[in-house]
Amino acid sequence: MAAEGKAIAKVNDLVIFVPYVVPGDVVDLQIKRKKNKYAEAEAVKFHELSPNRAVPFCQHYGVCGGCKWQVLPYPEQIRYKQKQVEDNLRRIGKIELPEISPILGSAKTEWYRNKLEFTFSNKRWLTNEEVRQDVKYDQMNAVGFHIPGAFDKVLAIEKCWLQDDISNRIRNAIRDYAYEHDYSFINLRTQEGMLRNMIVRTSSTGELMVIVICKITEEHEMTQFKQLLQFVADSFSEITSLLYIINNKCNDTINDLDVHVFKGKDHIFEEMEGLRFKVGPKSFYQTNSEQAYNLYKIARDFAGLTGNELVYDLYTGTGTIANFVSRQARQVIGIEYVPEAIEDAKVNAEINDIKNTLFYAGDMKDMLTQDFINQHGRPDVIITDPPRAGMHQDVVDVILFAEPKRIVYVSCNPATQARDLQLLDGKYKVKAVQPVDMFPHTHHVENVVLLELR
């Protein structure tokens, strides 16, 4: 297996990356793209199936573009993720490493996500099989997932195994009501049509948020749309937060748009160790709640807090880690690029009566400066959880200037993490590494590294 969940075949010296197959499969390949050193191909015929193979459990496997590793038994998935972390840290980092702890697998491998987003489209994607059989649908409107590489086409999803089944029931009920009452689905090329997107958020507290996003240009459409929302409210008493957003722009981003409450509250709560975290329609929260708790516990253990430490939490998001470790620290300072996330972080501190956190919004490389350190004090511990691109060189330089005793580096991309660890290597030694599987059936892995001053 290789990066991005593809498997590797070799023909003479040519390396070929192939999706939806596993080591041991014997296949005919059709080359789709060829470069000097490698090619990309797809399996067009299977001669022999690997003994190391699982039967995909989802009817949409191989078409929707998600959960590419359903063909790998779960123990094999986490074995390859462990190898991915080790290979990246050793090959890219080229640094001295302790023994890497065995990956922490996810107790749930189905229904584990707390958030899914679905797209409406008037262009239903037909699978190769449906095209071959010349299947004709009365209804070419669809709600489901975007097809990779076809921005205006949507695969009609009947059942997705990622989120609690309530998500499937709500989506299918909205779809059927829209079919029955002849609602228009958006044409993503011409930007005509009413129904655009829907987001479903579940939480460990049993609360349920549904956000329906539409395009409304005339008054009668608003009346029609509210009839749909009333149907949803009447059909699903489990929904504690039914919201809607009017998006008349040409893109799907909602960060700059107003959210309206149709029924219930404008938020739900997540809970961890008695701490409550407010999650709004635009809030970022780790999508696997149970594994997020395990991840944060590891980060807190690695931080080795005694109650006297000043902690900096970089890329703090909605302050989940900052608030989570605050009971064991003297003070925690969180920095995050998104101003709305920082407002959420402050609210979460207030809800939990946490008095020893400070939060700042701004670009990390502009906020975390030597002046900032001189003003707020040198941190004893830095916890950093950057985006996939890793940390900017300026941020690494300021961390080296600050000289915390310990750095806890949480990463969703071991390759950029390895690059950053190499930059810190002159002054810091890696003491512990703990991979965590947040996303079963995908190739993504989170990794927590503890560094200590040499």
Side-chain angles (χ1 to χ4, degrees), residues 15 24-25 91 167 324 336 363 382 411 438:
V15 173
D25 284 341
R91 194 169 43 81
S167 173
F324 185 70
E336 164 62 40
D363 193 318
I382 285 181
S411 172
M438 304 288 285

Side-chain angles (χ1 to χ4, degrees), residues 58-103:
C58 178
Q59 70 195 77
H60 305 296
Y61 173 76
V63 185
C64 94
C67 305
K68 288 188 174 75
W69 274 8
Q70 278 186 36
V71 281
L72 266 182
Y74 189 59
E76 286 294 296
Q77 293 180 31
I78 59 175
R79 184 170 77 83
Y80 280 114
K81 289 184 186 189
Q82 178 90 16
K83 189 171 180 298
Q84 183 186 330
V85 168
E86 295 189 3
D87 286 354
N88 279 318
L89 295 191
R90 292 186 203 287
R91 194 169 43 81
I92 300 168
K94 296 185 175 66
I95 52 174
E96 192 187 335
L97 293 168
E99 189 175 336
I100 296 174
S101 300
I103 188 169

